[in-house]
Amino acid sequence: MHAAYGVRKQSLFANHPDEIVEIGPGAGANFRYYRPGTHVIAIEPNPKMHARLRQRAVRHRLRVEIVAGGGESMPLENESTGAVVGTLVLCSVGDPGKVLAEAYRILRAGGPYIFLEHVAARGPSIAAMEQMILRRPWKALFAGCRIDQDALSLVEASPFDALAYEEFTLALNALPFSPHISGTAVK
C-alpha cells in the first residue's frame, strides 16, 4: 500500500513529535514514515503482529513499546502524548466513537489525531452498490473491516476542536473501498 498511500503519508507525518501513539499499527506499515529515534507506543490487539512490529521498528530505527489491547480503552494517562495516529483503523474497531474519544483523552492540548481512512461511498453510485453487496464477505475476509463505515461522520462528531481533511480516491476506482479521507483533528 506504500504505492497507493506513500506520498500522502509522508505529508501527514512530516512534523510529528518524538513520541507517537499509533492505534492498530498491524505490521508497522507506517513505521517507514516516522523519523529515526521516534518512540512509538503501538496499541495493537493482535499478538501475531507484535514480532513484526518489533522487526520493523529495528529496521526503521524506532523505539517501539507494544501495548496489547484495543483503542477503545488505552492504558495511558490523560493528556500524555503529543500525537495519535490511526490509519485504516476506524473501519475495524468495535466502537470507533470510543476510539476517537480515547485519542482525544490521551492527547495534550494542541496535539493532532492524524488519520487516513476509507469511507462510505456517497449517494447512489457504483461504489456504494459495491460496498453494500460486498460488506458481509469483506468483513469476514478482512479482519472485521466494514467497507461502508462512515468514518468522516465519526471524525466530525468527535470532540476535536479543529478538523482539516481532504477527500481522495485511489487510482483503482473499481475497488469498493476507494473513497478516502486523510487529515488531522486537533485537540
Side-chain angles (χ1 to χ4, degrees), residues 20-25 41-45 67-81 83-86 89-90 93 95-107 113 160:
I20 294 173
V21 173
E22 184 171 352
I23 303 167
I41 300 171
I43 310 295
E44 178 51 59
V67 177
E72 293 93 344
S73 180
M74 293 184 267
L76 302 171
E77 298 293 322
N78 294 347
E79 300 181 353
S80 60
T81 190
V84 177
V85 171
V89 72
L90 293 179
V93 296
D95 187 341
K98 195 166 183 182
V99 169
L100 290 166
E102 277 289 281
Y104 184 85
R105 179 186 67 78
I106 66 171
L107 274 170
Y113 172 66
F160 292 96

Side-chain angles (χ1 to χ4, degrees), residues 118-139 141-142 145-149 169-180:
H118 61 81
V119 297
R122 293 185 187 167
S125 66
I126 292 173
M129 184 176 63
E130 288 174 334
Q131 287 179 341
M132 183 183 73
I133 291 168
L134 294 174
R135 70 177 170 216
R136 285 192 179 120
W138 193 274
K139 186 175 181 180
L141 291 170
F142 296 102
C145 174
R146 294 179 304 276
I147 59 173
D148 59 348
Q149 178 72 276
T169 303
L170 292 179
L172 303 170
N173 290 332
L175 293 174
F177 59 90
S178 63
H180 284 70

Side-chain angles (χ1 to χ4, degrees), residues 2 9-10 13 16 18 20 22 25-40 51-64:
H2 174 66
K9 284 184 177 184
Q10 286 171 340
F13 304 142
H16 68 73
D18 292 336
I20 294 173
E22 184 171 352
N30 291 331
F31 284 11
R32 71 175 67 202
Y33 306 106
Y34 301 150
R35 284 188 309 278
T38 300
H39 177 209
V40 180
R52 293 176 73 186
L53 282 170
R54 287 185 187 93
Q55 290 169 351
R56 283 238 170 113
V58 168
R59 182 183 324 150
H60 297 290
R61 300 186 327 262
L62 305 173
R63 295 179 296 126
V64 69

